[in-house]
Amino acid sequence: MPQYNPPLRDLKFVMHELLNVVDELKLLPAHAEVDADTINAVLEEGGKFASEVIAPLNLSGDAEGCKLDKSSHEVATPKGFKEAYKQYVEGGWPALSCDPEYGGQGLPVLVNQCMYEMMNSANQAWTMYPGLSHGAYEALHAHGTPEQKATYLPKLTSGEWTGTMCLTEPHCGTDLGLLRTKAEPQADGTYKITGAKIFISAGEHDMAENIVHLVLARLPDAPEGSKGISLFVVPKFLVNADGSLGARNPIFCAGLEHKMGIHANSTCQMVLEGAVGTLVGQPNKGLAAMFVMMNAARLGVGNQSLGLTEVAYQNAVAYAKDRIQMRALSGPKAPDKPADPIIVHPDVRKMLLTARAYAEGGRALATYVALQLDKALASDDEDERKAADAEVALLTPIIKAFITDNGWIATSHCMQVFGGHGFIHEWGMEQFVRDSRINMIYEGTNTIQSLDLLGRKILANNGATLKKFGKKIAEFVEEEGVNESMQEFVNPLADIGDKVTKLTTEIGMKAFQNPDEVGAAAVDYLRVVGHLTFAYFWARMAKIALEKKDSGDPFYTAKLATARFYFAKLLPETAGLIRSCRAGLSPLMEMDEALF
Amino acid sequence: MPQYNPPLRDLKFVMHELLNVVDELKLLPAHAEVDADTINAVLEEGGKFASEVIAPLNLSGDAEGCKLDKSSHEVATPKGFKEAYKQYVEGGWPALSCDPEYGGQGLPVLVNQCMYEMMNSANQAWTMYPGLSHGAYEALHAHGTPEQKATYLPKLTSGEWTGTMCLTEPHCGTDLGLLRTKAEPQADGTYKITGAKIFISAGEHDMAENIVHLVLARLPDAPEGSKGISLFVVPKFLVNADGSLGARNPIFCAGLEHKMGIHANSTCQMVLEGAVGTLVGQPNKGLAAMFVMMNAARLGVGNQSLGLTEVAYQNAVAYAKDRIQMRALSGPKAPDKPADPIIVHPDVRKMLLTARAYAEGGRALATYVALQLDKALASDDEDERKAADAEVALLTPIIKAFITDNGWIATSHCMQVFGGHGFIHEWGMEQFVRDSRINMIYEGTNTIQSLDLLGRKILANNGATLKKFGKKIAEFVEEEGVNESMQEFVNPLADIGDKVTKLTTEIGMKAFQNPDEVGAAAVDYLRVVGHLTFAYFWARMAKIALEKKDSGDPFYTAKLATARFYFAKLLPETAGLIRSCRAGLSPLMEMDEALF
C-alpha cells in the first residue's frame, strides 16, 4: 500500500523562505496576527490527519467504491469514510479559513491551500466531500441573503453539513446556456425545482446529516441561453426556522456513475422533482454567482493534481531505491547486491525528477496564488485588491490546466518506475493515474481553461494582466542579471519571457483575421505560459538555494539540483510547443468534417 | 457502447498503394502466388470477425473480468469469450501465417499483422489469448525438437491449444538474469520444474483444452545470471504419445492480478510444483530462444496500441460530430441547432487529428516492418534476409515504444473529446486508455526499448543499420527534391534526418566518456527517431495523395490534410526533445540518491 509523508519542509520553505507569507499577511488587517508558528502548527497537525487518518483509506476506498440503495436513494460511502469525516469535523478542519462571523477560524486561504494539498495526496476521493462544501460556502458567503447565510454558513463551516454544485445536465456541461432544469416561483417566495443533473460529486452520501445543493435552473420566461440561468440553494432536508432539520426535499440520487477513478467519491445522477429551493443572488445572474464557486473549484482541482504528483513521487522514489534490477551502464553501483537499485538508471531518475520538479514548482505557484487570493479578499487597499484579483484570474486557468496535465504526466511516470507492478491495484500507483485523469476534465476541461486564459484573461485586455505579471519576472531577471551564478536560470527565463511576449502578439494579430486562431493556439499557448510561471518560481527557488548552499542543509542541495533539472530537461518542451502553436489554424481546419 | 469499423480502405491503401506488397511478395518463393484479392478477402472477413464477434464483448469483458476458482485452479473468462474463441478456431484464423507443414495457411506475416490490428481495436484483452499462442508457436518453430514440433505446433496452429510466456518472477522482470525457478533433470530426459512466476498473461483460462507454457528456469549448476537460463515447454496437461491429453501437470494459477486495464485477460501468478517439461533449444541458451518469442511479442504490443488508437479515434469522431456544445469562435456553424457540433472547435480537431495521424502513421510503419519480416523469413537471398532482419531489429523498439506512447497520448485525447462522459465506463473511452497503459510496460518497458534502440541497435554497430534506413529516406528526399508540391514534406523530413544524424554522433561521442549518457539520452532519442520514421511514411503517403488528389476520391484529400497536420503540429515536438536530449546526463545525476 502506498505511503504518504506530508512534505512539511518544502511547504515551510515555500511559505517562509520563498514567499515570506507572514510579512505579506501582516499587511492585511484580518491576518496581521498570523505568525509562522501558527501556520506551521496547523500544517503539522493537518499533515497528521492526512497521513494517518485518510491516506490509509485511499486504496480500500477505491476498491470498494460507493453503493446506492435505490429504494431509499441513500448512498453508502466506503468503510471508514464516515468515521474519518467525523474526526475531521471534530478537529475543526472545515472551519480553517472560514469567516469567524459564522464560526470560522479566519485563517488565510493559503493555509487551507496547503492543508488541501496534503489531503489530496492522501485521498482525493475522500477530500472531495469537504472540498465541495467549501465551494458552496463561498457562493453563499458572496451571494446569499442574510437568512441563507444564517441558515447554511455555520453548518457548512462546522462541517456538519456538506455542499455540492449541481450544474451539468446530460446534454450540457461546458455549455451551461443549454440547461433545462426549471424553477417555478411559489407563493411563499420559494421555488419548486424540477430537472435532472449529472456528474454531481458528493451529491449523496452518509457522512453528514444534510447536504446543501447549489443548483442552476431557469425561471419561467427567463431569456434563452446563459443569460437566463439562476442559482438556487436546495437542501437535502429542509431546514426549520429553529435550524432543525425538516422534511426530505425531493432531490434524489437516481444513479451512481461507474468511473475510471475517484471511485470512492459518489458521482451522482440527481433528479429534482419539485424540490424546494431559494434564490441565491439575482434572477438570471446565476452563472455569475456560480463562478465564485467555480473559480475556487478550479484552483482546488489544480491542487488535487499537485497532491497526486507529490504522493506518486514519494512512492516511486521509495520503490526505485528498494527495487534492484540490472547494473548501471557505467558499472555496478551496489556490487554487494545481485543488481543495482533502479534509481541508478538515468531514465528512472528522469521520471522521478520530472514528478519532483512538477510537484515543487506547482506548490510554489499554487501557494503564491493563494497568497494573492488572500490579498484580493482581505487587503484594505482597493487597488491592491483589484490587482491581486486580476492576477488570480490570470493564473487560475494555468493552475487548473497546467498542473493537472503535469499531474497526468507525473503520475504516469511514477507508475512506470514500478514496471509491471505499477499496473497492479495493490501497489496504488495506477490509482493515482486514474484519479488524476478527471482533473483534466471537470470544472471546465483543460481546453476551456486555455480559451479562458488566452481569450478572456489575456487578449481581451490586450495582455495588460500578463504584462503586469511579466513585469515581476522582468524585474527579477534584471536584478539577478549581475549575479553570475544565476545566469543558468535567468537567461532561459528571460528567453521564454521574450518568446511568450512575441507569441502573444502574433496570436493576437492572427485572431483579428479569424477568431478561431485563438482556439487553435490556446492549448499549446497555455502550456508555454505555464512553463514561464514555473521557470520564474524555479529561478527564484534556485536563488535561495544558491544563497544557502553552504549552510550544510542538504535540502538546498536538492532544491538546486531539481531547479537545474527543470531548466535542462522540462523547460525545453516549449521549443516544440511554440513551433506547433505558430503553425496556426489552417492545418486543423483543412479537412472537411465529413472526411474525419 | 463503442463501435468499431475495420479501416479496410486505409489498410488496402497501405498494402497496395504505399507498399505494393503483392509485387514485393512475388519475389519471395513462399508467397509468390499471393494476390491482392486473397489479401483483401482475408482482411474483409477478418474485419467482420473483429467488429461483429469480439468488439461487442470488450466493454462487458472489462466490467466482468476473470474469476479464479482457488480449489480447482481453473479460471473462468468473461461471458462470451469462450464462444468467440470457438468461432475463431473454426474460422481457421490462428493458422493464418503459420507453416503449412503443421497445418498453417502459410500467408505472409503482414496479413496476420493487419488481422491483429483489427482484433486489437475490437478487444485487446480477448486478442491476447490467441496472441500469446503465436509467440509460443514461433519459439517452438524456431528452436523446438522434431518431437516438440510434432506435438505442439499442429495444436497451436489450429488454435485448439493456446500458449504463454512464463518469464517474470516477483523479484525480476527486466533483469531475467536474477530468476530462480529450477529445473531438475529426470532419468527419462524430461525436467521437473519448480518455482513461482507472475504476470503470466493468459496463464490459465477456459477457452482451450490445453495450455502450452514456455518457461524460463535454471538447470542445476547453471552459471549465474543471464547465461544460466534455459527454456522449457511445460504443458498444462501432459501429452500422450498418441497426442491425446494425459495427466494434469502441476503448473497452477495461484492468483489473478487486479489490474488497471485488460481486465478480461487473466494475468496469473503461476506456481510450478515439479511440473514436467522438456528443454527447448540448448541448455543455458534459453534467453536467446525466448527472444524469438519476445521480438514477435514486441511488434505485437505496438500493434495493440495501434488498434486502440484507431478505435478510440473512430468513436471520438462520432461523438464530436454528434455532440453540440458552444458556438465556433468565428460564428455559428450550425445555426439551426442550439449549439454547434464540437468538431467545429479547433482543439477538438487537434485531438482527433493527433489520433488519426498516429494511427495512420503507425499502420504504415507496422505494415512496412511486417513486410520486412516476411523478407527476413522467406527471401531466398541470404543478403536480403540479413538486411531485412537488421531493419526489423532496428524498427522493433520504435514500434513497441513509439506507437505505445502515441497510443497513450491518443486514447487520452479521444477520451478528452467526450468531456465528463469520457471518464464514465459505459462510453468505453476510459477503457481504451487503461488498456493502452500496459503496452508501455510489458515485453520490455519503453525505457528498455529505448536502450535497445540506441545502445544495441545503433551505437553497437556505429549506426550502420540506421544509416541504411537513413539512405532510403535520403533517396526519397533526393527524388522528390525537384517536386515543388512535395517541398512542404521533404524539407522538414530532410531536416529531421540531418538532426538525427548529428544527434546520434553527439551521443556516441559522449557515451565514450560515460556509458550512462546512453541511458540519459535514450528515451528522448527514440521518440525523435520515431518521428523520423513517421515523417518518412507521412511524406510517402502525401506523395501518393498529391498524385491522386484530382481523382475525386475524398480518401486522398483526407490523407493529404492529415499529412499536413502531422508535419505542422506533431513533428515539431522533436525541437523540444532534441534540446532535452542534448542537455545530457549531468542534470539527472547531480542529486545524490539519498536526497530524492
Side-chain angles (χ1 to χ4, degrees):
Chain A
M1 197 172 83
Q3 300 296 310
Y4 174 60
N5 298 306
L8 294 171
R9 180 72 178 88
D10 201 55
L11 282 163
K12 290 177 192 173
F13 168 79
V14 169
M15 292 253 186
H16 305 309
E17 298 183 69
L18 177 67
L19 301 176
N20 295 310
V21 298
V22 174
D23 291 347
E24 298 267 1
L25 292 171
K26 280 208 194 318
L27 308 173
L28 308 177
H31 302 311
E33 306 300 313
V34 177
D35 60 14
D37 286 349
T38 307
I39 293 176
N40 295 348
V42 171
L43 295 188
E44 278 155 27
E45 286 308 303
K48 279 185 203 159
F49 176 79
S51 60
E52 294 171 11
V53 181
I54 59 174
L57 303 174
N58 194 40
L59 195 66
S60 58
D62 179 70
E64 191 183 336
C66 290
K67 285 178 190 67
L68 170 67
D69 177 336
K70 289 222 172 181
S71 59
S72 70
H73 301 290
E74 295 289 326
V75 169
T77 55
K79 199 171 162 226
F81 269 47
K82 271 200 297 222
E83 293 76 9
Y85 188 74
K86 189 157 177 275
Q87 240 180 293
Y88 182 73
V89 170
E90 285 170 1
W93 294 109
L96 216 53
S97 65
C98 291
D99 188 343
E101 198 177 330
Y102 304 101
Q105 298 180 36
L107 282 168
V109 171
L110 64 86
V111 176
N112 210 40
Q113 152 72 29
C114 297
M115 175 68 188
Y116 265 87
E117 184 209 306
M118 296 189 287
M119 294 200 295
N120 286 322
S121 284
N123 194 328
Q124 173 169 329
W126 184 92
T127 302
M128 288 172 69
Y129 294 99
L132 283 149
S133 300
H134 203 75
Y137 164 90
E138 290 191 19
L140 287 169
H141 194 269
H143 295 282
T145 63
E147 293 72 23
Q148 286 169 335
K149 290 185 183 185
T151 305
Y152 297 109
L153 291 183
K155 295 291 194 178
L156 288 168
T157 298
S158 69
E160 288 165 272
W161 301 353
T162 66
T164 77
M165 295 166 68
C166 297
L167 289 69
T168 304
E169 299 183 5
H171 64 289
C172 69
T174 298
D175 194 354
L176 290 170
L178 301 175
L179 74 79
R180 294 177 193 148
T181 296
K182 282 184 186 151
E184 294 282 340
Q186 305 298 304
D188 63 356
T190 65
Y191 297 80
K192 286 210 164 176
I193 301 169
T194 303
K197 297 284 180 178
I198 60 168
F199 301 161
I200 309 309
S201 300
E204 184 55 68
H205 60 79
D206 53 7
M207 289 162 65
E209 60 180 16
N210 202 4
I211 301 174
V212 183
H213 301 283
L214 276 280
V215 179
L216 290 182
R218 286 187 185 285
L219 293 169
D221 310 318
E224 276 196 12
S226 57
K227 287 173 184 162
I229 296 173
S230 304
L231 182 64
F232 300 87
V233 56
V234 183
K236 175 179 174 184
F237 288 100
L238 295 172
V239 185
N240 299 322
D242 65 353
S244 64
L245 294 187
R248 179 73 164 88
N249 208 0
I251 175 168
F252 297 120
C253 175
L256 290 178
E257 303 291 355
H258 297 99
K259 310 182 298 288
M260 183 183 193
I262 53 165
H263 292 165
N265 197 274
S266 63
T267 305
C268 300
Q269 300 156 14
M270 299 298 292
V271 175
L272 294 93
E273 299 170 344
V276 175
T278 55
L279 184 69
V280 180
Q282 299 302 307
N284 300 328
K285 303 279 185 197
L287 273 190
M290 197 52 133
F291 255 93
V292 171
M293 206 162 164
M294 189 93 93
N295 277 329
R298 287 175 174 184
L299 294 173
V301 172
N303 206 12
Q304 292 180 320
S305 283
L306 171 57
L308 291 175
T309 302
E310 171 67 32
V311 70
Y313 169 75
Q314 290 186 12
N315 285 279
V317 165
Y319 189 81
K321 289 180 178 177
D322 183 61
R323 173 81 169 180
I324 60 167
Q325 206 81 174
M326 311 297 282
R327 292 296 183 188
L329 292 178
S330 53
K333 299 291 177 276
D336 53 319
K337 291 182 181 161
D340 289 336
I342 61 173
I343 200 168
V344 307
H345 303 304
D347 190 60
V348 170
R349 287 173 157 255
K350 191 175 163 205
M351 292 190 279
L352 295 174
L353 284 164
T354 298
R356 183 182 180 113
Y358 280 149
E360 295 180 6
R363 183 172 299 126
L365 174 62
T367 313
Y368 173 83
V369 170
L371 179 62
Q372 303 314 308
L373 200 51
D374 278 315
K375 290 184 193 175
L377 293 169
S379 172
D380 53 2
D381 177 304
E382 197 192 335
D383 287 345
E384 190 183 21
R385 280 204 306 276
K386 276 192 183 164
D389 197 57
E391 200 169 283
V392 172
L394 175 77
L395 297 174
T396 294
I398 296 173
I399 287 194
K400 199 293 185 174
F402 190 58
I403 294 183
T404 63
D405 283 346
N406 293 345
W408 177 242
I409 294 165
T411 55
S412 177
H413 277 349
C414 291
M415 171 184 160
Q416 187 79 9
V417 168
F418 281 68
H421 298 280
F423 202 63
I424 308 298
H425 184 262
E426 68 185 85
W427 287 93
M429 300 306 290
E430 59 90 34
Q431 184 188 348
F432 298 140
V433 180
R434 287 186 289 105
D435 286 355
S436 85
R437 188 62 185 80
I438 190 60
N439 302 340
M440 298 152 79
I441 299 174
Y442 61 14
E443 306 306 341
T445 66
N446 284 2
T447 300
I448 292 295
Q449 301 302 320
S450 72
L451 292 170
D452 180 48
L453 176 74
L454 179 57
R456 296 176 11 149
K457 305 291 173 60
I458 294 183
L459 297 180
N461 67 9
N462 279 316
T465 320
L466 179 66
K467 274 177 206 152
K468 261 196 187 160
F469 184 69
K471 215 176 147 202
K472 293 189 184 181
I473 298 177
E475 280 166 11
F476 178 78
V477 168
E478 177 66 22
E479 249 168 55
E480 300 303 319
V482 293
N483 183 346
E484 200 176 325
S485 61
M486 279 295 289
Q487 299 307 300
E488 59 176 312
F489 306 112
V490 291
N491 290 343
L493 173 60
D495 179 61
I496 186 68
D498 291 345
K499 282 178 175 147
V500 165
T501 304
K502 187 165 167 247
L503 190 62
T504 308
T505 309
E506 278 179 13
I507 300 168
M509 302 287 280
K510 284 201 270 190
F512 271 118
Q513 308 296 320
N514 185 345
D516 274 337
E517 291 281 359
V518 174
V523 168
D524 287 335
Y525 180 84
L526 182 143
R527 208 162 163 79
V528 173
V529 179
H531 273 299
L532 171 64
T533 65
F534 271 36
Y536 172 54
F537 286 106
W538 268 116
R540 285 179 57 179
M541 294 194 282
K543 183 184 177 223
I544 300 167
L546 280 167
E547 284 163 2
K548 303 211 177 154
K549 88 177 160 164
D550 299 327
S551 67
D553 184 345
F555 175 85
Y556 300 105
T557 315
K559 189 63 84 181
L560 190 59
T562 309
R564 287 191 172 128
F565 168 82
Y566 173 79
F567 280 91
K569 296 290 187 183
L570 298 181
L571 182 61
E573 183 193 1
T574 51
L577 292 167
I578 291 170
R579 278 183 56 181
S580 161
C581 191
R582 296 184 74 191
L585 178 66
S586 69
L588 304 176
M589 306 313 275
E590 181 177 335
M591 194 150 96
D592 193 77
E593 180 185 321
L595 298 184
F596 270 81
Chain B
M1 198 172 81
Q3 300 296 311
Y4 174 61
N5 298 307
L8 294 171
R9 181 72 178 88
D10 201 55
L11 282 163
K12 290 177 192 172
F13 167 80
V14 170
M15 291 253 187
H16 305 309
E17 298 184 68
L18 177 68
L19 301 176
N20 294 312
V21 298
V22 174
D23 290 347
E24 298 267 1
L25 292 171
K26 281 209 193 317
L27 307 172
L28 309 176
H31 302 311
E33 306 300 315
V34 177
D35 59 14
D37 287 350
T38 307
I39 293 176
N40 294 348
V42 171
L43 295 188
E44 278 155 28
E45 285 308 304
K48 278 185 203 158
F49 175 79
S51 60
E52 294 171 12
V53 181
I54 59 174
L57 303 174
N58 194 40
L59 195 66
S60 57
D62 179 69
E64 191 183 336
C66 291
K67 287 179 187 66
L68 170 67
D69 177 335
K70 289 222 172 180
S71 58
S72 70
H73 301 290
E74 296 289 325
V75 169
T77 55
K79 199 170 163 226
F81 269 47
K82 269 198 301 220
E83 293 75 10
Y85 188 74
K86 190 158 176 276
Q87 241 180 292
Y88 182 73
V89 170
E90 286 170 0
W93 293 109
L96 216 55
S97 66
C98 290
D99 188 344
E101 199 179 329
Y102 303 101
Q105 298 180 35
L107 282 168
V109 170
L110 65 87
V111 176
N112 209 40
Q113 152 73 28
C114 296
M115 175 67 188
Y116 264 88
E117 184 209 307
M118 295 188 289
M119 294 200 296
N120 286 322
S121 283
N123 194 327
Q124 173 170 329
W126 185 93
T127 303
M128 289 172 69
Y129 293 101
L132 283 149
S133 300
H134 203 76
Y137 164 91
E138 290 191 18
L140 287 169
H141 193 269
H143 294 282
T145 62
E147 292 73 24
Q148 286 169 335
K149 290 184 182 184
T151 305
Y152 297 109
L153 291 183
K155 295 291 194 177
L156 288 169
T157 298
S158 70
E160 288 164 274
W161 301 352
T162 65
T164 77
M165 297 166 69
C166 295
L167 289 70
T168 304
E169 300 183 4
H171 64 289
C172 69
T174 299
D175 194 355
L176 291 169
L178 301 175
L179 74 80
R180 295 176 192 149
T181 296
K182 281 183 187 153
E184 294 282 340
Q186 305 298 302
D188 64 356
T190 66
Y191 297 81
K192 286 210 163 174
I193 301 168
T194 302
K197 297 284 180 179
I198 61 168
F199 300 162
I200 308 310
S201 299
E204 184 57 68
H205 59 80
D206 54 6
M207 289 162 65
E209 60 180 14
N210 202 6
I211 301 174
V212 183
H213 301 282
L214 276 280
V215 179
L216 290 181
R218 286 187 184 285
L219 293 169
D221 309 319
E224 276 195 14
S226 58
K227 288 174 183 160
I229 296 172
S230 304
L231 182 64
F232 300 87
V233 55
V234 182
K236 175 180 174 182
F237 288 101
L238 295 172
V239 185
N240 298 320
D242 65 356
S244 64
L245 295 187
R248 178 72 163 89
N249 208 2
I251 175 168
F252 297 120
C253 175
L256 291 177
E257 303 291 357
H258 298 98
K259 310 182 299 287
M260 182 182 193
I262 53 166
H263 292 163
N265 198 274
S266 62
T267 306
C268 300
Q269 299 156 14
M270 300 299 291
V271 175
L272 295 93
E273 299 170 343
V276 176
T278 55
L279 185 68
V280 179
Q282 299 301 307
N284 300 327
K285 304 280 185 197
L287 274 190
M290 196 52 133
F291 255 92
V292 171
M293 207 162 164
M294 191 94 92
N295 278 329
R298 286 174 175 185
L299 293 173
V301 172
N303 206 12
Q304 291 180 320
S305 283
L306 171 57
L308 292 175
T309 302
E310 171 67 32
V311 71
Y313 168 74
Q314 290 185 11
N315 285 280
V317 165
Y319 189 81
K321 289 180 178 177
D322 182 60
R323 174 80 169 179
I324 61 167
Q325 205 81 178
M326 312 296 283
R327 292 296 183 188
L329 292 178
S330 53
K333 299 291 176 276
D336 53 317
K337 292 182 181 161
D340 289 336
I342 60 173
I343 199 167
V344 307
H345 303 305
D347 190 59
V348 170
R349 287 172 157 255
K350 191 174 163 204
M351 292 190 278
L352 295 174
L353 285 165
T354 299
R356 183 181 180 115
Y358 280 149
E360 295 181 4
R363 181 172 299 126
L365 174 63
T367 312
Y368 173 84
V369 170
L371 178 62
Q372 303 314 307
L373 200 51
D374 279 315
K375 290 184 192 173
L377 293 168
S379 172
D380 53 3
D381 178 306
E382 197 191 335
D383 287 345
E384 190 183 22
R385 280 205 307 276
K386 277 192 183 163
D389 197 56
E391 199 168 283
V392 172
L394 175 77
L395 297 174
T396 295
I398 295 173
I399 287 192
K400 199 289 184 178
F402 190 57
I403 294 183
T404 63
D405 283 347
N406 293 345
W408 177 241
I409 293 165
T411 55
S412 177
H413 277 348
C414 291
M415 171 184 161
Q416 187 79 10
V417 168
F418 282 68
H421 298 280
F423 202 63
I424 307 299
H425 184 263
E426 68 184 87
W427 288 93
M429 301 305 290
E430 58 91 33
Q431 184 187 348
F432 298 140
V433 180
R434 288 186 288 105
D435 286 356
S436 85
R437 188 63 184 81
I438 190 59
N439 302 340
M440 298 152 79
I441 300 174
Y442 60 15
E443 307 306 342
T445 66
N446 284 2
T447 300
I448 292 295
Q449 302 302 321
S450 72
L451 292 169
D452 180 48
L453 176 73
L454 180 56
R456 296 177 11 149
K457 306 290 172 61
I458 294 182
L459 297 180
N461 66 12
N462 279 317
T465 320
L466 178 67
K467 275 178 207 154
K468 260 194 189 162
F469 184 69
K471 214 177 148 199
K472 293 188 185 181
I473 298 176
E475 280 166 10
F476 177 78
V477 168
E478 177 66 23
E479 248 168 56
E480 300 303 319
V482 292
N483 182 347
E484 199 175 326
S485 61
M486 280 294 288
Q487 299 308 299
E488 59 177 311
F489 306 113
V490 292
N491 290 343
L493 173 60
D495 179 61
I496 187 68
D498 291 345
K499 282 178 174 149
V500 166
T501 304
K502 187 164 166 249
L503 190 62
T504 309
T505 308
E506 278 179 12
I507 301 168
M509 304 287 280
K510 283 202 270 190
F512 270 119
Q513 309 295 320
N514 185 346
D516 275 336
E517 291 280 359
V518 174
V523 168
D524 287 334
Y525 179 85
L526 183 143
R527 209 162 163 79
V528 173
V529 179
H531 273 298
L532 171 65
T533 65
F534 271 36
Y536 172 54
F537 285 106
W538 268 116
R540 285 179 57 180
M541 293 193 282
K543 182 183 177 222
I544 300 166
L546 280 167
E547 284 163 1
K548 303 210 178 155
K549 87 177 159 161
D550 299 327
S551 66
D553 183 345
F555 176 85
Y556 301 106
T557 315
K559 188 63 85 180
L560 191 59
T562 310
R564 287 191 173 129
F565 169 82
Y566 173 78
F567 279 91
K569 296 290 186 182
L570 298 181
L571 183 61
E573 183 193 1
T574 51
L577 292 167
I578 291 170
R579 279 183 57 182
S580 162
C581 192
R582 296 184 75 191
L585 177 66
S586 68
L588 305 176
M589 306 313 275
E590 181 178 336
M591 194 150 97
D592 193 77
E593 181 185 321
L595 298 184
F596 271 80

